[in-house]
Amino acid sequence: MASPAASKHVVCLCRDCLAEFDHDIRQCPACGSSRIIFHPELGQLSTAHIDCDAFYAAIEKRDNPELIDKPVLVGGGKRGVVSTACYVARKFGPRSAMPMFKALKMCPHAVVIKPNMAKYAEASRLVRAIFDSVTPVVEPLSLDEAFLDLAGTATLFQRSPAATLAYVAREIERQVRITVSIGLSYNKFLAKIASDLDKPRGFAVIGKADAVARLHDMPITKIPGVGPSLADRLKVDGLFTIADLQAKSEEELTIRYGETGAHLARRARGEDSRAIHNDRESKSVSSETTFDTDVSDAAELRRLLWLQAERVSERLKKNALAGHTVVLKLKTSRFKLVTRSRRLQAPTQLAEMIFRTSEGLLIKEAKGTRYRLIGVGADDLCEAALADPPDLLNDGPRHHAGVEKAMDAVRAKFGRTAIKKGRAVPTK
Ligand code: TTP
Ligand code: MG
């Protein structure tokens, strides 16, 4: 029987009708499909990586059905390399980044198509809209792949993240008419590894219990950041596969390769503590000004900083955003860029908070150096609803929010310059 929706005990899923089960099955009793996923941890995993299959070629095939069964190479142009080969062509050897002449030697009957970036970007937008419909936490890596954090979506959709992913794949096939491969795990590294395991039209799962074993036989180059030169260095030391790394302790690898060694040791054990960052979060709102003549006077720098903080706050409020990190930017008369940042306890959209935080950073830098530019930014953006929570012990934010609201109201009525804080007024 299908288990109750969003049950923690989901171990099996029908990729066609999205029915979930608490036991292993071969064929879906609900729809008869044999596209079944089984994994003991299926109901508990929520970190996904989704990658479109032979992306450019898939779109070309979609738009010209005569190409469906033919080997297709997208690329050529000035650089004369293959951008992608469809799965029919890959059987003969061609791969991305291969010189086109070489690919055509391997597969002389291939159809070569020049890339049409506008078309791929449009398809990418449609795919992205489907991702956005299931979670606010989407981190795209390129036009055709993204990480999705589906934690917390089970209650909303009354189905496991795994079932929501099967839904996403189905919607992409229906709306964009291309296929994707899904990797589901408990961190980004493993989710990305997984999405590549079962291509095309795949769905692979890596859980906590099987991560080390799944990584075991993979070449070390599967670990992002291990390029040809590092791989060569590791080979000299007899390290070829992830199993070779697993056999060494983190200490051993750190002594030999420094921070890189520690990183390799962690990845080899399936460890990755990076969070999925929404690309909207990673944008920032900032404002800066370049002076007519260099300024070294701390009081004057403070005044100029306040004006920028007010601007940033104004833009945050207008866009219903708040920043979790405040960034101070200075450029010296010799064009040296200085940036300092501080993460706040809670996101803010208040000019007062942005100013006080950046002022704290400025004090250390305003010791006589002549500057030609000052700026301030709010980073790690989130929705305004999360900003400046009332703090029971400290009434500061609420008080400032009240003052700023009153000032904003006066400005809305009488114009931007109608009201100023004392610190905005030049001292001389
Ligand atoms: P990939 O996702 O790496 O490849 P792919 O989607 O073609 O195939 P796969 O099924 O293995 O995921 O890259 C996405 C697109 O980016 C690809 O269709 C073409 C482009 N691309 C290049 O232009 N040059 C390259 O070297 C690579 C790797 C990709
Ligand atoms: Mg791809």
Side-chain angles (χ1 to χ4, degrees), residues 314-330:
E314 196 180 308
R315 282 170 50 198
L316 289 171
K317 288 170 187 162
K318 213 191 244 163
N319 294 296
L321 292 169
H324 214 139
T325 301
V326 171
V327 182
L328 170 75
K329 179 176 169 186
L330 292 158

Side-chain angles (χ1 to χ4, degrees), residues 87 168 252 304:
Y87 280 81
V168 165
E252 263 177 290
L304 294 161

Side-chain angles (χ1 to χ4, degrees), residues 57-256:
I59 290 165
E60 298 302 339
K61 289 195 178 204
R62 173 194 75 180
D63 294 346
N64 182 359
E66 278 177 21
L67 298 173
I68 294 289
D69 302 321
K70 301 212 168 92
V72 167
L73 303 173
V74 179
K78 276 185 208 139
R79 287 194 300 130
V81 295
V82 175
S83 296
T84 193
C86 75
Y87 280 81
V88 180
R90 282 184 207 190
K91 279 192 234 148
F92 302 93
R95 293 286 181 274
S96 292
M98 190 179 271
M100 187 59 84
F101 77 89
K102 192 171 162 197
L104 282 170
K105 249 184 212 160
M106 293 169 153
C107 186
H109 54 303
V111 179
V112 179
I113 300 174
K114 280 218 181 80
N116 179 341
M117 292 313 296
K119 221 160 66 165
Y120 312 148
E122 174 55 21
S124 176
R125 271 193 293 276
L126 294 173
V127 169
R128 172 65 195 258
I130 296 167
F131 293 164
D132 288 342
S133 73
V134 298
T135 172
V137 191
V138 177
E139 182 180 330
L141 296 181
S142 71
L143 277 187
D144 91 321
E145 60 177 314
F147 287 112
L148 278 73
D149 185 349
L150 295 163
T153 62
T155 320
L156 182 65
F157 296 124
Q158 288 296 296
R159 63 182 179 224
S160 64
T164 293
L165 289 165
Y167 162 83
V168 165
R170 220 174 60 175
E171 281 305 293
I172 292 172
E173 289 185 10
R174 193 176 69 80
Q175 295 182 36
V176 196
R177 290 185 291 123
I178 60 172
T179 62
V180 298
S181 293
I182 292 168
L184 174 63
S185 191
Y186 56 92
N187 65 39
K188 285 166 95 169
F189 167 61
L190 293 170
K192 185 153 164 72
I193 293 265
S195 72
D196 207 33
L197 289 177
D198 187 29
K199 262 182 171 292
R201 216 180 174 217
F203 193 141
V205 183
I206 300 180
K208 292 196 169 149
D210 58 327
V212 170
R214 294 297 283 270
L215 292 169
H216 196 267
D217 295 328
M218 293 182 190
I220 295 178
T221 46
K222 280 275 176 190
I223 300 175
V226 181
S229 68
L230 178 57
D232 284 347
R233 199 173 147 206
L234 295 165
K235 268 183 211 158
V236 171
D237 291 346
L239 303 170
F240 297 88
T241 65
I242 295 185
D244 297 330
L245 292 174
Q246 288 171 349
K248 307 256 179 222
S249 70
E250 183 167 341
E251 290 72 31
E252 263 177 290
L253 290 168
T254 309
I255 290 165
R256 185 85 180 96

